[in-house]
Amino acid sequence: MTTVGQTLPLAEAPSAGYPESHVPVTPVLSLASFGRGGERIPSVLDAGAARLVTSGRVAIALALREMGIGPGDAVLVPSYHCASMIEPVVWAGARPVFYRIRPDTSVDLIDVAAKLDADCKVLMATNYYGFPQDLVALRAFCDARGIALLEDCAHCFLGQHKGKPVGSYGDYAIASSMKFFPMYEGGVLVSARHSLAGVHLQPAGKGFEAKAAINTLEDSFAYGRLFVVRALLALPLWLKDVLWGRLKGRKESAPSLAPGSSDGGFGFDPRWLDKRSSLCSRLLLRLVSRPRMGALRRRNYLKLQAALHGLPGCRPLFATLPDGVCPWIFPLLVDRPQPLFRTLKMQGVPILRFGEYPWPGVDASVCPASADLSQRVLSFPCHQELREAELDWMISQIKDALLQRSATAP
Ligand SMILES: *Cc1c(COP(=O)(O)O)cnc(C)c1O
């Protein structure tokens, strides 16, 4: 199985000695994905002109390119980050300047103002876990200082803030479709303020198109979805495995058919900058029900929140789930996270972590809150493709583990 858009290669890798997750970590395709129901929630695609690319990280690079960022420039980036946010900045030749966030993940504008110098052209701000920043304040701050705002909506494909869709406040915004939709690859570049007419995308080739479609199906089959389709495709997929094995077995390495981002790697590959997202992903972006996605993510999040409320040694990172927020995952702030992490991973409970591997030099002396969050937040999926029984199983495992360790705590 491929793990898409993951933020923790080591902990999710089978080589770490953990079994495969018993429930899908990221959304997997099922017939229900296309179902109706739920209220319409705005998305980044409603914010303005859009370009559908293969990942959020290449969308960041394209945004920087559109803004003319290059050597000699600096980009203000959060200390709480993943490498795929910083690599495009370095690729552009610019200097990342790490600013602090507060313990509630909000941008520390006092620190941003203190770090701002004449080289700084852009403020990158992330709406963590689906919860928008105070985007009105960030917009006003950038306008007052004549710098651009790059709104990182990788965690909030859907949602609104003060009556406008997420992604509307930035000069440019980016999203990671593969974090929300059952798809193998996909990212979005959006602008509510500037033309994207200069961004021309090319198809990435037949091999890539095939891989995107096949991997989407295989991820789905791995968790027992779409079994009728699976039966129909058994023979062609077997043939594909045989052919693939032959190709790989050859001396000369087969060309890379998909960006490293889609194979769970951390890589940023500039060759994917101008490549259009696959037909499969673009179709899914249109056909997968967004009202259902919004409603189920909120419902699953609230179920996790209610079930874990008051358990010892932890609390939800966010106290409430405001209207208009469509969460990416459910972040739980845990005391002594490592033993709990190990226990749950051994049981096949999926755990996502964000920001665990900060850019070299970005430690607690740069931002205590980021260092703390990157260690203590363990997140659980709340995506729309979790079945009721899967969610219940996951909750009971987490509950048991938390209660047991408090009973045996010294
Ligand atoms: C995942 C992520 C990105 C990059 O998105 P990809 O689609 O994985 O390239 C950018 N910013 C944040 C906050 C992310 O979590």
Side-chain angles (χ1 to χ4, degrees):
M1 200 203 94
T2 46
T3 311
V4 183
Q6 73 185 30
T7 46
L8 184 64
L10 284 180
E12 292 293 334
S15 60
Y18 300 118
E20 287 266 353
S21 167
H22 284 347
V23 309
V25 189
T26 54
V28 286
L29 190 65
S30 74
L31 286 182
S33 308
F34 306 105
R36 295 292 138 206
E39 221 178 295
R40 193 181 177 282
I41 300 182
S43 82
V44 286
L45 296 174
D46 299 311
R51 288 289 179 276
L52 304 180
V53 290
T54 55
S55 69
R57 63 200 79 177
V58 304
I60 294 175
L62 285 173
L64 296 175
R65 192 172 79 182
E66 287 299 290
M67 291 187 273
I69 301 304
D73 295 330
V75 178
L76 289 150
V77 293
S79 299
Y80 191 39
H81 59 258
C82 55
S84 47
M85 299 160 65
I86 314 302
E87 281 167 340
V89 175
V90 173
W91 166 81
R95 178 168 53 92
V97 174
F98 295 90
Y99 65 79
R100 291 184 176 192
I101 59 152
R102 300 201 188 86
D104 65 357
T105 76
S106 60
V107 174
D108 181 345
L109 277 180
I110 294 169
D111 189 55
V112 175
K115 292 198 169 133
L116 190 74
D117 63 28
D119 295 341
C120 292
K121 303 286 157 53
V122 183
L123 170 65
M124 190 195 297
T126 301
N127 298 316
Y128 296 103
Y129 299 103
F131 293 71
Q133 294 283 345
D134 184 346
L135 295 164
V136 175
L138 294 185
R139 186 68 252 172
F141 178 95
C142 290
D143 287 343
R145 283 154 182 89
I147 62 172
L149 178 62
L150 174 51
E151 203 183 328
D152 179 349
C153 297
H155 296 179
C156 69
F157 196 97
L158 296 181
Q160 58 184 326
H161 182 69
K162 304 212 165 125
K164 289 208 268 180
V166 287
S168 306
Y169 293 86
D171 287 86
Y172 293 87
I174 70 98
S176 179
S177 333
M178 55 186 165
K179 286 195 170 112
F180 281 79
F181 290 79
M183 56 174 64
Y184 175 62
E185 52 76 31
V188 185
L189 171 68
V190 179
S191 183
R193 298 173 164 248
H194 307 281
S195 164
L196 294 180
V199 183
H200 301 286
L201 302 178
Q202 266 88 49
K206 290 205 178 73
F208 170 69
E209 297 290 343
K211 186 164 183 175
I214 288 171
N215 283 52
T216 301
L217 290 175
E218 283 184 340
D219 280 355
S220 161
F221 299 161
Y223 285 99
R225 269 72 171 178
L226 293 176
F227 63 84
V228 176
V229 181
R230 180 184 200 167
L232 292 172
L233 285 179
L235 180 65
L237 282 178
W238 175 78
L239 281 172
K240 183 229 46 161
D241 280 342
V242 171
L243 289 172
W244 201 242
R246 292 240 173 107
L247 256 181
K248 279 192 179 157
R250 285 193 199 160
K251 270 260 156 59
E252 73 275 25
S253 60
S256 172
L257 288 179
S261 49
S262 293
D263 285 319
F266 260 109
F268 167 73
D269 184 345
R271 283 174 302 178
W272 288 90
L273 221 61
D274 296 298
K275 298 291 190 284
R276 183 175 294 129
S277 181
S278 65
L279 180 62
C280 176
S281 291
R282 284 181 287 138
L283 275 174
L284 289 171
L285 207 56
R286 297 186 76 166
L287 297 177
V288 164
S289 167
R290 286 181 224 159
R292 174 180 175 269
M293 178 192 297
L296 289 183
R297 282 178 176 269
R298 284 184 60 88
R299 191 199 69 178
N300 293 344
Y301 181 101
L302 289 170
K303 193 164 178 179
L304 276 155
Q305 179 178 280
L308 304 182
H309 176 80
L311 285 170
C314 69
R315 67 171 170 83
L317 177 56
F318 300 99
T320 59
L321 179 66
D323 287 345
V325 171
C326 173
W328 170 40
I329 49 183
F330 178 83
L332 188 70
L333 191 63
V334 180
D335 307 333
R336 300 186 296 118
Q338 216 45 41
L340 182 71
F341 177 83
R342 270 197 303 273
T343 304
L344 290 175
K345 289 291 289 184
M346 285 312 290
Q347 289 161 354
V349 174
I351 302 180
L352 291 136
R353 297 177 91 165
F354 176 77
E356 205 198 5
Y357 303 105
W359 204 252
V362 185
D363 54 21
S365 70
V366 179
C367 177
S370 299
D372 190 51
L373 293 174
S374 67
Q375 292 305 309
R376 286 178 53 212
V377 173
L378 302 184
S379 298
F380 303 98
C382 63
H383 61 75
Q384 68 276 13
E385 301 303 338
L386 280 176
R387 290 173 174 156
E388 199 74 37
E390 291 172 333
L391 185 61
D392 291 343
W393 173 81
M394 190 169 77
I395 286 172
S396 75
Q397 298 294 310
I398 302 169
K399 262 179 146 169
D400 287 354
L402 282 165
L403 288 171
Q404 251 166 40
R405 75 175 193 152
S406 87
T408 58

